């Protein structure tokens, strides 16, 4: 829409879809009445739990890592891969369609093992910049990498939130709200870091930002596993 008409039209489409989603949530989803009221004190206890703190940090870094590059997706494809606006639109469409499949698969995988699923999709933060580098100016190779990128990136919120919430089974609602908040903070950090790199260097280098953030996220997963093993010993 933005490449055919103007960027304002993309916001009109977004608004229309948001209204449809709002109506669907209100009319289709069942009511979930509160069966047990929890005190603030009982829920705030999770802020003192080392495993929850490590999980929160993982959530923060995982969202930051993906958005440090994805926030500048169009500009990167324009400048680094020499794609015009129409081609970029097609790439975003491919990215999104694959993302729908990825979220469905991630949900199935999370039911079996939350930690392994999160680590699997997080591995893309290390894999994608390497693949983008070696795809060079080859359009077909770049399309394949974008497909892999969309698959590994799209469930990031689902994986990060589920991983974080799983560390606080007795305060699921509070943990869920914090997961959203720290996810938004991660977006802020990621986009800021990406913008800074573009301003000081070039948008061509933004994919490499995923490496340090990705390593930090994986490190936080390792810290949580270590803490959980120590608790059981």
């Amino acid at each position: 829409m933005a490449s055919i008409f103007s960027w304002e039209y993309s916001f009109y489409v977004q608004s229309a879809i948001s209204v449809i989603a709002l109506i669907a949530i209100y009319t289709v989803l069942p009511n979930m009445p509160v069966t047990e009221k929890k005190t603030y004190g009982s829920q705030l206890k999770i802020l003192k739990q080392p495993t929850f703190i490590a999980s929160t940090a993982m959530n923060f870094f995982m969202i930051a890592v993906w958005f440090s590059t994805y926030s500048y997706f169009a500009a990167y494809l324009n400048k680094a891969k020499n794609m015009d606006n129409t081609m970029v639109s097609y790439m975003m469409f491919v990215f999104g369609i694959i993302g729908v499949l990825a979220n469905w698969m991630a949900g199935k995988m999370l039911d079996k093992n939350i930690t392994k699923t999160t680590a699997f999709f997080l591995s893309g933060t290390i894999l994608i910049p390497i693949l983008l580098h070696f795809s060079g100016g080859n359009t077909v190779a770049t399309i394949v990498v974008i497909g892999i990128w969309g698959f590994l990136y799209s469930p990031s919120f689902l994986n990060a939130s589920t991983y974080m919430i799983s560390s606080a089974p007795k305060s699921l609602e509070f943990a869920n709200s914090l997961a959203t908040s720290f996810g938004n903070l991660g977006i802020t950090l990621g986009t800021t870091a990406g913008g800074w790199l573009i301003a000081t260097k070039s948008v061509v280098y933004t994919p490499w930002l995923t490496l340090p953030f990705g390593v930090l996220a994986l490190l936080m997963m390792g810290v949580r596993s270590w803490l959980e093993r120590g608790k059981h010993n």
Side-chain angles (χ1 to χ4, degrees):
M1 295 293 291
S3 62
I4 296 174
F5 300 105
S6 69
W7 62 268
E8 290 93 343
Y9 282 87
S10 62
F11 284 89
Y12 297 149
V13 174
Q14 179 180 339
S15 298
I17 294 173
S18 296
V19 170
I20 293 171
L22 177 62
I23 294 172
I25 289 171
Y26 185 77
T27 58
V28 177
L29 292 182
N31 290 325
M32 298 179 65
V34 176
T35 56
E36 177 188 358
K37 291 188 177 181
K38 298 179 180 179
T39 63
Y40 289 110
S42 65
Q43 297 189 80
L44 289 172
K45 287 181 180 178
I46 64 174
L47 299 177
K48 297 181 180 180
Q49 297 175 5
T51 53
F52 182 74
I53 294 171
S55 302
T56 301
M58 193 290 302
N59 175 33
F60 175 68
F61 287 126
M62 184 174 184
I63 301 302
V65 61
W66 281 120
F67 277 86
S68 65
T69 301
Y70 176 70
S71 299
Y72 306 99
F73 184 83
Y76 175 79
L77 295 182
N78 276 147
K79 302 287 179 63
K81 301 300 182 180
N82 298 315
M83 294 184 180
D84 59 27
N85 291 337
T86 301
M87 188 64 176
V88 170
S89 297
Y90 291 143
M91 293 302 97
M92 297 190 80
F93 182 73
V94 169
F95 196 98
I97 292 297
I98 292 177
V100 174
L101 173 64
N103 274 286
W104 179 80
M105 289 188 64
K108 296 291 185 181
M109 294 168 67
L110 286 168
D111 280 339
K112 296 179 180 179
N113 192 302
I114 293 175
T115 301
K116 289 182 179 179
T117 300
T118 304
F120 170 74
F121 284 96
L122 187 56
S123 67
T125 61
I126 296 172
L127 179 64
I128 294 303
I130 297 173
L131 293 179
L132 285 172
H133 174 75
F134 284 105
S135 66
N138 188 313
T139 302
V140 174
T142 299
I143 293 172
V144 172
V145 175
I146 288 172
I148 299 172
W149 187 359
F151 182 82
L152 295 174
Y153 158 84
S154 296
S156 58
F157 269 109
L158 175 63
N159 292 324
S161 297
T162 304
Y163 182 81
M164 180 176 167
I165 295 167
S166 68
S167 65
K170 295 182 180 179
S171 302
L172 296 176
E173 297 85 356
F174 185 46
N176 184 50
S177 65
L178 288 177
T180 301
S181 298
F182 277 93
N184 288 329
L185 284 174
I187 293 174
T188 301
L189 174 63
T191 53
T192 300
W196 172 81
L197 188 63
I198 293 171
T200 55
K201 299 291 184 180
S202 170
V203 72
V204 173
Y205 299 105
T206 53
W208 295 107
L209 272 175
T210 65
L211 284 174
F213 285 133
V215 169
L216 284 171
L218 288 168
L219 179 62
M220 290 302 102
M221 291 189 70
V223 169
R224 173 176 165 177
S225 296
W226 175 73
L227 289 169
E228 288 176 336
R229 284 198 301 270
K231 188 183 296 184
H232 293 306
N233 291 337

